[in-house]
Amino acid sequence: VQLQASGGGLVQPGGSLRLSCVVPGFTLDYPAIGWFRQVPGREREGVACISNEDGTTDYVDAVKGRFTISKDNAKNTVYLQMNSLKPEDTAIYYCATDQARLCGPMTLYYGMQYRGKGTQVTVSS
């Protein structure tokens, strides 16, 4: 499956960005979509996920209250609205999906089967 993330860029602390991920066929084939981030040399971190069936969401503690994941079934697209960005949010963000994993803390921790190319988010003044 080809996942394509977009929307990254350079933003000042406190600013906002919205990332998008197109997942062809996700309404039929995949139970959940997740956003992950990675800084070179560091472990991947699960950021947020959303259930395809009922829209249930989950977030890592570091982004709760600042990031919002949502989906548009008609467009096969999942979004990550990122507000109140901090320098520590700087990373490559990518979307991922799985044929079996549901949205939840274990999925954010262990990752998902398919991932796409990432988009760079840099938070700096």
Side-chain angles (χ1 to χ4, degrees), residues 31-36 44-50 58 96-98 100-113:
I33 306 293
W35 282 99
F36 296 80
R44 174 205 67 228
E45 179 181 40
V47 176
C49 60
I50 185 166
D58 203 0
T97 192
D98 197 289
R101 288 193 181 275
L102 305 176
C103 177
M106 298 303 285
T107 292
L108 293 180
Y109 181 79
Y110 286 109
M112 304 180 89
Q113 187 176 7

Side-chain angles (χ1 to χ4, degrees), residues 24-106:
F26 91 90
T27 56
L28 297 176
D29 297 332
Y30 310 107
I33 306 293
W35 282 99
F36 296 80
R37 64 187 181 186
Q38 189 159 23
V39 176
R42 295 177 59 180
E43 291 289 320
R44 174 205 67 228
E45 179 181 40
V47 176
C49 60
I50 185 166
S51 168
N52 191 7
E53 182 178 14
D54 60 7
T56 301
T57 59
D58 203 0
Y59 300 88
V60 68
D61 286 345
V63 307
K64 284 181 179 177
R66 300 189 297 122
F67 291 10
T68 303
I69 189 170
S70 61
K71 62 185 178 76
D72 184 331
N73 289 351
K75 297 181 178 180
N76 285 335
T77 301
V78 176
Y79 302 99
L80 185 68
Q81 178 66 44
M82 305 186 296
N83 298 329
S84 302
L85 282 161
K86 304 176 181 180
E88 52 263 44
D89 294 318
T90 296
I92 298 171
Y93 286 71
Y94 62 93
C95 52
T97 192
D98 197 289
Q99 291 182 316
R101 288 193 181 275
L102 305 176
C103 177
M106 298 303 285

